[in-house]
Amino acid sequence: MLLDLFDQLMQRIKANDKVHVSFCVSGIIGCLVVYGILQERIMQEPFEGEQFKYSLLLVLCNRLVTVLVAGGLLVAGGQDLAPVAPPQAYAAVSVSNVVATFCQYEALKHVSFPVQTLGKCAKMIPVMIWGTVIMRKRYNTKDYGVAALVTLGCSVFIMTGDVTSKHAGSNSSMFGVMLMVGYLAFDGFTSTFQDKLFKGYQMTIFNQIMYVQAFSAGFSTLGLISAGQFGDAISFVMRHPSALGSILTLSAAATIGQLFISHTIKTYGALLFATVMTTRQFISILLSCILFAHPLSMGQWVGTVTVFGALYYKTLSKKVEAPSAESSAKTVPDAEAGEAEKAPLVDNQK
């Protein structure tokens, strides 16, 4: 009954292309902006005077929600729930996925959200490096030029103003930057390794998502237990129900956002997706500066404009070079593949 109503609603939305595009764009930006705001709220703002310290619990809840949604979609679509690839294939991708996400959340304990978000814009660099090493891919001069501008912009941002989280020690910002480097390295590896590992297996995206994220949930649980944090983490959310509510809302927003991303790429191609994601990141930085009081210096604004200017140039130049290719594009280009992670359905998806 509910599925029939949803199908009818989607048919009406698809009947008007402008309404359909607006639906896709607002869905992606809305969900992922909520995801970003809640991420900063959970990791940087105290709950009744007590700071949340358990990044792996956030990863665990995120992955469990994703597994439930992916499994539900497989059942609703009448698809086989059995694994297609060997368990070690899912597990291998899952390990780098968990480490990348853990570094992303932990970084917020040491650097501000604008730094973390701007750092994510540089993920095209490790994706290009891993793509060259693992997949033997080649990139043109424009790709390297954009990568250089993004690196320059991030460097200017870090060197021309305060980048430390408001609750961190004065000397912890460099550790936060190193965590972001770890995030970028593992996230770029995840997307590239995933392409290579699952090549040749005839599986649906939801089958891959469900089993990769199921392993991720298992590894997150083992991490919490081995660190002696599982009981403390559960106790924290029991003492602060609002924290659990924020964690579950974050997980739902990320998961729904990835569904919007998948639908948008399938319908309109990677070009619209790349433009929307760049815009979303810029909006997230602006909202973080307003909501959580992160004043940026003039040099940091120059760095921000340099990074997003390079990304918009890359996107718009693709439109000029291949205007007919957009409508047939069905997957994210290598340089942007990592960004679909961010939402945890693909984490490159992700």
Side-chain angles (χ1 to χ4, degrees):
M1 184 66 178
L2 289 176
L3 286 176
D4 291 337
L5 291 174
F6 179 75
D7 287 338
Q8 292 175 15
L9 176 62
M10 287 301 300
Q11 289 301 323
R12 290 185 180 182
I13 292 174
K14 292 178 180 178
N16 187 314
D17 194 57
K18 290 182 179 179
V19 173
H20 194 192
V21 170
S22 299
F23 173 76
C24 294
V25 171
S26 60
I28 293 174
I29 292 179
C31 288
L32 297 189
V33 165
V34 169
Y35 171 80
I37 291 173
L38 287 175
Q39 184 183 161
E40 183 169 10
R41 165 68 185 94
I42 293 166
M43 297 305 302
Q44 293 193 344
E45 299 294 321
F47 291 90
E48 300 174 355
E50 190 175 0
Q51 203 72 32
F52 181 81
K53 304 175 183 177
Y54 313 103
S55 297
L56 282 176
L57 179 65
L58 192 55
V59 177
L60 173 60
C61 292
N62 206 323
R63 293 336 187 228
L64 287 177
V65 170
T66 299
V67 169
L68 291 174
V69 171
L73 290 171
L74 284 173
V75 172
Q79 300 176 26
D80 191 2
L81 290 173
V84 178
Q88 61 269 24
Y90 296 109
V93 174
S94 175
V95 169
S96 59
N97 175 274
V98 170
V99 174
T101 310
F102 174 78
C103 289
Q104 171 190 342
Y105 291 147
E106 280 290 304
L108 281 176
K109 295 179 180 179
H110 306 279
V111 298
S112 66
F113 180 79
V115 175
Q116 187 222 50
T117 302
L118 202 67
K120 289 180 183 179
C121 296
K123 66 173 58 186
M124 61 179 296
I125 298 169
V127 169
M128 289 172 64
I129 293 173
W130 288 122
T132 301
V133 174
I134 297 177
M135 304 294 287
R136 305 297 181 187
K137 292 182 178 180
R138 294 183 179 182
Y139 300 92
N140 58 36
T141 303
K142 183 186 71 178
D143 290 327
Y144 288 111
V146 171
L149 281 174
V150 170
T151 303
L152 175 63
C154 290
S155 300
V156 169
F157 188 97
I158 291 172
M159 293 187 297
T160 57
D162 184 26
V163 298
T164 307
S165 169
K166 65 177 70 174
H167 299 290
S170 58
N171 297 320
S172 69
S173 60
M174 185 53 64
F175 183 63
V177 171
M178 294 305 296
L179 283 170
M180 283 307 299
V181 171
Y183 161 75
L184 291 171
F186 280 100
D187 190 66
F189 177 80
T190 299
S191 57
T192 306
F193 191 53
Q194 185 169 297
D195 288 341
K196 181 178 180 65
L197 199 60
F198 291 118
K199 195 172 184 179
Y201 291 105
Q202 299 298 318
M203 68 173 69
T204 66
I205 184 64
F206 295 120
N207 181 283
Q208 182 183 135
I209 288 167
M210 186 177 73
Y211 282 101
V212 168
Q213 302 309 331
F215 273 104
S216 295
F219 289 138
S220 300
T221 303
L222 288 176
L224 282 168
I225 294 172
S226 61
Q229 293 183 339
F230 188 83
D232 292 339
I234 299 300
S235 178
F236 183 95
V237 295
M238 293 293 289
R239 291 195 305 273
H240 307 289
S242 61
L244 180 60
S246 294
I247 291 171
L248 293 177
T249 304
L250 176 147
S251 301
T255 302
I256 295 170
Q258 182 56 41
L259 295 178
F260 272 105
I261 287 172
S262 299
H263 177 72
T264 301
I265 293 173
K266 181 178 180 180
T267 306
Y268 293 105
L271 185 59
L272 176 64
F273 164 73
T275 306
V276 171
M277 291 301 284
T278 302
T279 304
R280 190 276 300 182
Q281 289 172 319
F282 190 68
I283 291 174
S284 293
I285 288 178
L286 290 178
L287 285 177
S288 177
C289 291
I290 294 170
L291 296 177
F292 298 98
H294 296 300
L296 301 184
S297 68
M298 181 59 68
Q300 288 178 316
W301 279 116
V302 170
T304 301
V305 171
T306 300
V307 170
F308 286 104
L311 294 178
Y312 275 119
Y313 164 75
K314 183 183 180 195
T315 300
L316 293 175
S317 64
K318 284 183 180 179
K319 185 174 183 179
V320 172
E321 291 172 3
S324 62
E326 178 186 354
S327 60
S328 62
K330 298 298 179 186
T331 58
V332 187
D334 294 325
E336 284 97 15
E339 179 53 44
E341 96 84 280
K342 341 329 198 238
L345 268 178
V346 180
D347 265 13
N348 306 345
Q349 98 227 31
K350 58 237 199 27

